[in-house]
Amino acid sequence: MVIRQVNLETVCGITSVLPKNSKAEVAFAGKSNVGKSSLINGLVNRKALARTSSQPGKTQTINFYNVNDEVYLVDLPGYGYAKVSQSEKEKWGKLIEKYLNGSSQLRAVFLLIDIRHEPGANDKMMYEWICHNGYQPIIIATKLDKIKRSQLQKQLKLIRQGLNVLPGTQIIPFSAETKQGRDEIWTTIEQLCCGETFSDDKEK
């Protein structure tokens, strides 16, 4: 997809009312510091649209990025490791659940997993929770450039087994550094939103 315009249109906190968007939405969930902001920046060819941070738990809101006025990329709060109180984490959980259950335009949820490590307890919990809310997560295995090519299949198998993924689950390896996997993610988004009018242009 050629990115003609993109902007952070809506930011929803714990007490916010979710927007009633008329365009398709795809959401991105993942552990704190797994690379959600870097992924979104990579997808839209921007360096700092989504703020990246070495501090876990930076994203504490649901952020709606409008791309070409055709689709929304929805950045969900990161889970795990954030230095906040348990009650605050529970509020974020309720915020995410409210979105998953309340959005009429949500087409799919992408779950980001660090390809270097076996999925942790929080990853497994999030995967099962997304499934429980009626979605079959698509896995994005981030930080692809941090492993050797010869390790790829072994690490993907770790993710499949660690999450006990549903049969047919798509796993897309991605690197924010090299942009490997970017086109595959966009192709998947376009297929998920096939009822929408998307640009036919392809990135040169």
Side-chain angles (χ1 to χ4, degrees):
M1 171 181 279
V2 172
I3 308 300
R4 297 187 305 276
Q5 62 179 28
V6 57
N7 64 288
L8 175 55
E9 186 173 286
T10 311
V11 176
C12 290
I14 290 166
T15 59
S16 301
V17 176
L18 293 170
K20 295 188 182 300
N21 292 323
S22 59
K23 305 295 183 184
E25 301 168 0
V26 290
F28 297 89
K31 188 166 58 181
S32 299
N33 269 18
V34 76
K36 278 194 293 96
S37 297
S38 296
L39 168 68
I40 290 171
N41 287 331
L43 288 177
V44 299
N45 291 330
R46 301 290 190 275
K47 289 186 177 179
L49 179 71
R51 294 181 185 176
T52 59
S53 173
S54 59
Q55 177 184 351
K58 186 69 174 177
T59 303
Q60 301 179 11
T61 53
I62 298 180
N63 299 332
F64 292 78
Y65 296 92
N66 184 334
V67 181
N68 292 350
D69 202 28
E70 294 177 337
V71 64
Y72 286 92
L73 306 185
V74 183
D75 186 9
L76 302 175
Y79 55 84
Y81 301 141
K83 293 181 180 179
V84 296
S85 67
Q86 184 62 34
S87 62
E88 196 74 10
K89 290 179 184 178
E90 288 173 1
K91 288 178 182 177
W92 292 357
K94 289 177 182 177
L95 176 64
I96 296 172
E97 188 170 25
K98 180 171 77 169
Y99 170 68
L100 294 180
N101 290 327
S103 172
S104 62
Q105 296 296 337
L106 182 58
R107 300 292 189 266
V109 180
F110 290 85
L111 178 60
L112 279 63
I113 303 291
D114 189 330
I115 199 169
R116 299 173 297 176
H117 310 297
E118 183 178 356
N122 283 321
D123 296 316
K124 296 173 187 177
M125 192 181 303
M126 191 66 180
Y127 180 81
E128 291 169 1
W129 192 47
I130 295 169
C131 291
H132 178 73
N133 277 277
Y135 295 92
Q136 182 172 340
I138 298 159
I139 310 300
I140 298 178
T142 63
K143 305 182 189 288
L144 176 60
D145 53 285
K146 304 293 186 185
I147 66 169
K148 296 177 181 177
R149 186 175 297 180
S150 60
Q151 296 175 294
L152 177 60
Q153 294 307 317
K154 175 189 172 187
Q155 296 307 115
L156 292 179
K157 185 177 179 181
L158 269 182
I159 291 174
R160 285 193 191 93
Q161 293 179 340
L163 295 178
N164 191 23
V165 298
L166 295 166
T169 296
Q170 186 177 6
I171 302 181
I172 306 173
F174 174 78
S175 166
E177 294 294 321
T178 68
K179 302 301 185 291
Q180 186 174 341
R182 178 185 183 274
D183 290 346
E184 187 176 351
I185 294 169
W186 268 122
T187 297
T188 301
I189 291 173
E190 290 175 344
Q191 290 170 347
L192 290 164
C193 305
C194 60
E196 315 301 319
T197 304
F198 268 67
S199 300
D200 292 330
D201 300 329
K202 293 298 178 186
E203 195 73 42
K204 302 294 184 186

